[in-house]
Amino acid sequence: MERVRKDLVRAIKRADYQAFQQLRKEHPRAIDLDGETFNGVTLTGFDLSNLNLANTEWDSCILERVVFRKCDLSGAFLKATTIMESSFELATMHGTAIDGCVLRGSRFQGCACAETEFTGTEFDTCQFEQLELEECTMESATVTAGVFRRVLVRGGEWNAVTFRGVEQDELVFDGTEINGCSGSGTLPEGFRPLSGRRKVVGTRSSNRR
C-alpha cells in the first residue's frame, strides 16, 4: 500500500485527474495519507471521499468542486487556501485548523467537529447543516449569505465574527463565549447590529510655499 500511497500523493500534487481516478478505481478502500503536505496545488473535481487526510497540510491551494465526504481531516491545517463549491459532508474535523482561507459555495453537513479552529477566514454563501461544534473557535471571520441550519455550538469561543445576511434556522449557542461579534440582518444572540454609520475624520489643510 505504500506504493499506492506515493502514487496517489503524486497524482494530487500534479493535479493529474486521470491518474488519480485510475488509482481510486483500482484501490477503492480508504487510503492513508496522514501527514502529507500539499503546497500550491490546484484541484478541480477531485473526489477525495473516505481518504485519511489526518494531519495533512494544505497551503496556498485552490480547491474547486472537491469532495471531502467522510474524510478524516483530524489535525489537518488549511492555510491561505481558496475552497469553492466543495463538500465536507460527514467529514471528521477534530482539531482541524482553517486559517486565512476563502470558502465560497461550500457545504459542511453532519461533520464531527471538536476543537476545530476557523481563523481569519471568509465564508461566502456556505452551508452549515446538522452540526455540533464542540469547543470550537471562530475568530476574525466573515460569513456572508449562506445558512446555518440545525447547528449547535457548545462551548468554545467566537471572537470578532461578522454575519452579513446569513440565514439561521436553529443556530444555538450553549455556553459559548461571544466577544466583539456583529453584523447585519437577523443576528444570533450576543451579536450586535452594525449601524452602517461611519465616522468622518476631519482633515487639516496647509498652504505650501
Side-chain angles (χ1 to χ4, degrees):
M1 291 299 291
E2 184 61 26
R3 176 62 181 273
V4 176
R5 171 188 171 117
K6 290 181 178 178
D7 289 344
L8 197 61
V9 169
R10 184 181 301 110
I12 294 173
K13 290 184 175 180
R14 294 179 177 177
D16 189 336
Y17 181 79
Q18 291 185 342
F20 177 83
Q21 288 291 91
Q22 185 63 34
L23 285 165
R24 293 305 307 270
K25 182 178 180 180
E26 294 173 355
H27 306 277
R29 293 184 179 181
I31 299 175
D32 185 357
L33 300 184
D34 191 322
E36 292 290 345
T37 298
F38 303 98
N39 292 320
V41 172
T42 297
L43 301 181
T44 302
F46 275 62
D47 187 349
L48 306 181
S49 296
N50 298 303
L51 291 180
N52 179 8
L53 299 173
N55 304 305
T56 52
E57 182 174 338
W58 303 77
D59 190 351
S60 303
C61 297
I62 298 175
L63 309 177
E64 183 173 5
R65 302 194 308 279
V66 174
V67 178
F68 291 94
R69 188 176 190 276
K70 291 187 176 181
C71 284
D72 186 353
L73 287 161
S74 299
F77 181 39
L78 290 84
K79 176 184 178 184
T81 289
T82 299
I83 303 172
M84 298 173 287
E85 299 177 11
S86 297
S87 171
F88 293 82
E89 182 183 1
L90 302 175
T92 300
M93 302 181 67
H94 298 323
T96 304
I98 299 179
D99 183 17
C101 295
V102 175
L103 288 92
R104 295 192 179 98
S106 295
R107 185 181 187 188
F108 297 83
Q109 181 180 25
C111 303
C113 297
E115 299 184 350
T116 309
E117 298 181 3
F118 304 93
T119 307
T121 291
E122 297 179 18
F123 298 93
D124 187 356
T125 59
C126 292
Q127 298 180 44
F128 298 82
E129 299 181 294
Q130 300 175 359
L131 300 176
E132 289 192 14
L133 305 179
E134 298 277 353
E135 299 297 334
C136 295
T137 299
M138 185 172 287
E139 184 167 354
S140 301
T142 301
V143 185
T144 303
V147 62
F148 279 74
R149 180 175 293 116
R150 294 191 293 279
V151 176
L152 172 61
V153 184
R154 182 177 288 117
E157 300 180 32
W158 282 37
N159 301 312
V161 176
T162 302
F163 269 25
R164 298 185 184 277
V166 179
E167 179 184 345
Q168 299 150 62
D169 180 8
E170 298 182 37
L171 170 59
V172 177
F173 292 90
D174 180 9
T176 306
E177 293 185 26
I178 299 178
N179 302 297
C181 296
S182 59
S184 57
T186 303
L187 297 173
E189 185 176 352
F191 280 56
R192 63 177 177 81
L194 293 172
S195 65
R197 292 179 294 180
R198 62 186 179 89
K199 183 178 180 181
V200 178
V201 179
T203 59
R204 182 173 60 185
S205 60
S206 61
N207 294 323
R208 295 182 179 179
R209 296 183 179 179

